[in-house]
């Protein structure tokens, strides 16, 4: 075991203010100074005009919202609670300023951003606390429960399922527990390939601590830059390379969770027969069983070679069939992704202007494909990733490309894959770009057996288009197959439209149509974003009424006072 950092401060919690924890913008994704730009992408404006009817050349982007214009409800935290929390974490680590409280009110879904920009703040946390270690978290939990307050754990703030927002009907004090100071890799068991990591560590911080020692966690969700290990565990996150490394439920072996009166601990073992799995209960629990303080996760040696190749398929069915064949084969790529024709068009439109040989090569390729009889309006772009020793990568690629060829696909090299790898965490900035110009964009994802994938894809698109007709808006929906399994796959949909008079009601119409289509066509409400409040109404369809009763019984038995993030997953 390699000791990397002390488990707690020697003398307990510091009484001085912590170094500021960096948060995302209160009104949008990411940090100030980083944004999506389209000026260097000549095909993007025409694409947007055709897709949703928005003229980017004429649209005047909104200025940064004025925080001072917000009417933030006053904190209702009593002095006794403030004093108890100050004793738990230090006076300077209990905050009640308006900015801190607003930052901790919402996640980053479209609904969240529309509401916070409009100053819709019916209920905000009354206090934000920043414990420095696990002991501090435990003291916060015990103090809050003793005061009959509500606790909401907060990691990076990237959630898009409503898991962070306080219940508007809650009359008790609400405390947001920000885990941002718990950001260390504590130790590595090199023989077992296991790392103990504090729950507040952001994705980049985890890799920055693991990589110099030759390790990687292999978990890279879209939100990687601004999400934490604890958040991944709490929502059963999946990453872009989950085909190889597994999702967070596969990666997580051990857990520590601060609960009223004591610490829940799940030992990090390969497997166990110890009754119903408490580990599985914590995974996806969204704070309703306690505050996750650390997880012991599987880590892997950094591969000697890592490469992503791009492929074109003549249509969606050919691409999805190829992904199914790859999943059924003996090869194990790190990424198996294919976009439908709509998303392929979007991807091509977001490319920078090609010049010289690159432009000629693309034009020549498309000419060849037309001569082969391909309808380029049905073109589907795929990314397949390979990792390992060079010889293994070569063997895997050779086997995959036999499957690609058998399904009518062709390879187009590593250039698009390099660009995809560089820009894979930037997509959320595009949503803010649209929102600044009066349009909304959001995502929904599901999973289903291979036998239902193509029907589900077509049916969800039809449902969204019907919803656009009902609200009288020109809209767009596109999809990619993001994760492959032996029995099925995840389909990840992105939808967008220009707002009318009632953005939230219009969004609800489209979002509900997409989610209901998931259920009607054999999918689930969410593959990796969690349930929160956004997807709770479809939970009985996914796990049955009795399944919901079991979950509600678990929450009622383990949190009878409803202190732990109530009204999430189930009411």
């Amino acid at each position: 075991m390699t000791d990397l950092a002390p488990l707690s401060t020697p003398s307990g919690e510091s009484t001085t203010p912590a170094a500021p924890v960096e948060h995302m913008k209160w009104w949008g994704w990411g940090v100030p100074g980083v944004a999506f730009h389209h000026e260097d992408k000549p095909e993007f404006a025409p694409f947007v005009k055709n897709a949703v009817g928005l003229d980017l050349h004429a649209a005047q982007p909104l200025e940064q919202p004025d925080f001072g214009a917000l009417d933030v409800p006053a904190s209702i935290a009593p002095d006794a609670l403030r004093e108890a929390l100050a004793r738990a974490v230090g006076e300077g680590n209990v905050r009640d300023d308006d900015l801190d409280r607003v930052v901790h009110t919402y996640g980053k879904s479209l609904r969240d951003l529309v509401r916070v920009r409009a100053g819709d703040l019916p209920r905000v946390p009354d206090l934000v606390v920043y414990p420095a270690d696990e002991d501090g978290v435990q003291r916060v939990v015990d103090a809050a429960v003793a005061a009959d307050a509500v606790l909401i754990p907060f990691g990076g703030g990237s959630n898009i399922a409503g898991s962070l927002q306080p219940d508007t009907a809650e009359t008790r004090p609400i405390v947001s527990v920000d885990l941002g100071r718990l950001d260390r890799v504590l130790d590595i068991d090199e023989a077992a390939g296991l790392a103990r990591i504090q729950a507040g560590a952001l994705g980049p911080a985890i890799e920055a601590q693991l990589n110099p020692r030759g390790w990687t966690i292999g978990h890279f969700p879209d939100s990687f830059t601004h999400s934490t290990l604890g958040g991944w565990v709490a929502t059963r996150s999946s990453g872009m390379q989950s085909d190889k490394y597994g999702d967070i439920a596969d990666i997580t072996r051990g857990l520590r969770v601060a609960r009223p009166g004591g610490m829940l601990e799940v030992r990090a073992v390969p497997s166990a027969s110890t009754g119903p799995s408490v580990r599985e209960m914590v995974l996806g629990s969204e704070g309703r069983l306690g505050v996750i303080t650390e997880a012991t996760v599987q880590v892997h040696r950094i591969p000697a070679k890592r490469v992503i190749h791009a492929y074109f398929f003549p249509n969606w069915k050919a691409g999805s069939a190829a992904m199914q064949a790859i999943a059924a084969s003996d090869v194990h790529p790190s990424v198996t992704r294919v976009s439908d024709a709509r998303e392929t068009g979007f991807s091509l439109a977001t490319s920078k202007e090609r010049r010289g040989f690159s432009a000629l090569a693309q034009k020549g390729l498309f000419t060849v494909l037309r001569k082969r009889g391909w309808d380029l309006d049905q073109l589907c772009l795929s990314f397949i990733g390979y990792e390992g020793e060079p010889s293994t990568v070569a063997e895997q690629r050779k086997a995959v490309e036999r499957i690609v060829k058998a399904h009518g696909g062709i390879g187009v090299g590593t250039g698009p894959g390099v660009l995809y790898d560089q820009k894979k965490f930037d997509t959320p900035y595009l949503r803010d770009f649209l929102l600044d110009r009066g349009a909304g964009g959001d995502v929904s994802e599901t999973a289903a057996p291979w036998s239902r994938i193509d029907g589900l894809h077509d049916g969800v698109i039809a449902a969204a288009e019907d919803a656009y007709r009902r609200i009288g808006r020109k809209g767009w929906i596109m999809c990619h197959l993001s994760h492959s399994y032996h029995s099925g796959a995840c389909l990840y949909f992105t939808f967008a439209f220009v707002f009318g008079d009632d953005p939230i009601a219009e969004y609800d119409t489209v979002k509900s149509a997409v989610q209901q289509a998931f259920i009607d066509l054999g999918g689930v409400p969410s593959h990796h974003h969690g349930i929160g409040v956004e997807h709770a109404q479809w939970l009985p369809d996914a796990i049955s009424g009795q399944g919901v009763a079991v979950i509600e019984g678990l929450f009622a038995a383990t949190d009878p006072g409803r202190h732990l993030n109530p009204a999430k997953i189930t009411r």
Side-chain angles (χ1 to χ4, degrees):
M1 191 75 76
T2 304
D3 190 19
L4 302 181
L7 301 186
S8 61
T9 52
S11 58
E13 192 74 40
S14 171
T15 58
T16 58
V21 173
E22 185 178 18
H23 296 114
M24 286 192 280
K25 296 175 288 192
W26 66 267
W27 74 93
W29 184 265
V31 295
V34 180
F36 176 85
H37 298 282
H38 74 97
E39 290 79 8
D40 59 346
K41 304 172 184 66
E43 299 302 320
F44 186 73
F47 178 90
V48 172
K49 182 68 178 294
N50 178 67
V52 299
L54 176 64
D55 186 346
L56 295 180
H57 298 299
Q60 292 297 316
L62 299 174
E63 295 183 1
Q64 176 180 324
D66 178 10
F67 186 83
L70 299 184
D71 183 11
V72 183
S75 171
I76 64 169
D79 290 341
L81 175 60
R82 295 172 188 263
E83 293 166 2
L85 292 174
R87 289 193 296 272
V89 300
E91 181 70 37
N93 300 315
V94 180
R95 313 278 178 83
D96 65 356
D97 61 278
D98 286 350
L99 179 58
D100 238 333
R101 294 169 58 222
V102 168
V103 164
H104 290 79
T105 297
Y106 290 120
K108 298 300 181 185
S109 71
L110 178 64
R111 184 193 310 279
D112 293 335
L113 297 183
V114 169
R115 292 183 70 184
V116 76
R117 288 177 175 215
D120 183 7
L121 300 165
R123 194 69 173 91
V124 301
D126 299 293
L127 296 172
V128 180
V129 297
Y130 293 87
D133 56 22
E134 183 179 89
D135 290 343
V137 176
Q138 184 67 66
R139 290 192 293 268
V140 166
V141 171
D142 291 339
V145 172
D148 194 26
V150 168
L151 288 161
I152 302 179
F154 188 96
S158 64
N159 183 267
I160 62 170
S163 305
L164 298 176
Q165 67 187 57
D167 185 1
T168 57
E170 185 56 70
T171 59
R172 297 173 294 177
I174 297 172
V175 179
S176 177
V177 186
D178 191 305
L179 281 297
R181 295 172 69 195
L182 280 74
D183 61 356
R184 296 174 177 173
V185 174
L186 297 174
D187 49 46
I188 299 173
D189 181 340
E190 301 209 1
L194 295 172
R196 290 180 54 218
I197 305 175
Q198 292 179 309
L202 293 164
I206 293 173
E207 290 297 308
Q209 294 174 75
L210 290 177
N211 291 173
R213 296 167 175 86
W215 298 93
T216 179
I217 192 173
H219 191 71
F220 300 101
D222 286 358
S223 62
F224 173 79
T225 307
H226 299 289
S227 57
T228 63
L229 174 61
W232 301 342
V233 172
T235 56
R236 294 187 72 103
S237 168
S238 286
M240 297 178 184
Q241 294 169 214
S242 291
D243 282 24
K244 175 180 175 65
Y245 296 101
D247 62 22
I248 203 64
D250 302 306
I251 293 169
T252 302
R253 306 318 308 160
L255 288 161
R256 290 180 65 84
V257 184
R259 288 188 33 78
M263 187 67 54
L264 181 160
E265 181 178 7
V266 177
R267 290 185 176 182
V269 295
S271 187
S273 178
T274 51
S277 173
V278 175
R279 184 185 72 92
E280 284 285 334
M281 293 177 192
V282 175
L283 286 158
S285 59
E286 301 184 24
R288 295 212 60 178
L289 295 179
V291 182
I292 299 166
T293 60
E294 71 174 62
T296 301
V297 298
Q298 296 174 168
V299 291
H300 298 261
R301 286 296 183 184
I302 296 173
K305 184 173 183 178
R306 178 176 182 272
V307 63
I308 296 179
H309 279 256
Y311 303 88
F312 279 139
F313 288 95
N315 52 59
W316 167 258
K317 288 188 175 181
S320 66
M323 299 305 109
Q324 180 181 358
I326 292 169
S329 73
D330 293 330
V331 295
H332 301 286
S334 59
V335 178
T336 51
R337 172 178 173 137
V338 61
S339 295
D340 67 7
R342 293 163 176 248
E343 188 170 283
T344 297
F346 165 79
S347 296
L348 295 175
T350 56
S351 298
K352 293 184 179 180
E353 184 176 7
R354 293 175 179 267
R355 299 179 183 276
F357 179 77
S358 177
L360 292 173
Q362 177 173 295
K363 182 178 180 181
L365 173 62
F366 287 171
T367 299
V368 169
L369 294 179
R370 287 192 187 94
K371 290 181 177 179
R372 290 187 181 183
W374 286 34
D375 178 356
L376 297 189
D377 289 336
Q378 297 301 312
L379 190 71
C380 291
L381 175 63
S382 172
F383 294 113
I384 300 179
Y386 310 94
E387 294 186 8
E389 293 298 320
S391 59
T392 301
V393 168
E395 292 172 2
Q396 296 264 320
R397 180 186 165 198
K398 185 176 180 180
V400 164
E401 292 187 350
R402 283 198 297 266
I403 295 172
V404 169
K405 183 177 180 180
H407 288 82
I410 64 167
V412 291
T414 58
V418 169
L419 184 61
Y420 162 77
D421 221 22
Q422 292 172 345
K423 302 295 183 182
K424 60 189 175 185
F425 303 133
D426 295 346
T427 304
Y429 287 103
L430 178 57
R431 180 188 53 192
D432 288 6
F433 174 89
L434 293 173
L435 192 55
D436 290 344
R437 290 157 178 80
D442 211 355
V443 297
S444 282
E445 31 70 58
T446 188
W450 287 113
S451 56
R452 293 181 177 268
I453 287 296
D454 290 340
L456 193 153
H457 169 269
D458 296 346
V460 170
I461 288 176
E465 290 178 336
D466 178 67
Y468 291 137
R469 285 191 289 271
R470 283 186 278 127
I471 64 174
R473 314 303 299 170
K474 182 177 176 63
W476 182 257
I477 184 167
M478 59 190 183
C479 174
H480 65 265
L481 186 155
S482 63
H483 301 78
S484 297
Y485 301 90
H486 174 76
S487 61
C490 169
L491 294 185
Y492 194 108
F493 292 85
T494 301
F495 56 92
F497 62 98
V498 178
F499 289 144
D501 295 331
D502 193 341
I504 293 294
E506 294 159 357
Y507 169 74
D508 279 339
T509 298
V510 180
K511 172 81 172 182
S512 295
V514 169
Q515 293 292 137
Q516 189 60 49
F518 290 168
I519 300 302
D520 294 343
L521 297 167
V524 290
S526 175
H527 170 263
H528 58 260
H529 285 150
I531 295 298
V533 296
E534 282 286 345
H535 306 137
Q537 74 182 81
W538 293 282
L539 189 60
D541 295 299
I543 64 173
S544 79
Q546 285 298 311
V548 172
V550 169
I551 292 179
E552 290 177 334
L554 171 65
F555 293 157
T558 57
D559 181 29
R562 291 176 62 82
H563 298 111
L564 304 175
N565 204 14
K568 307 306 188 304
I569 305 177
T570 68
R571 297 298 296 179

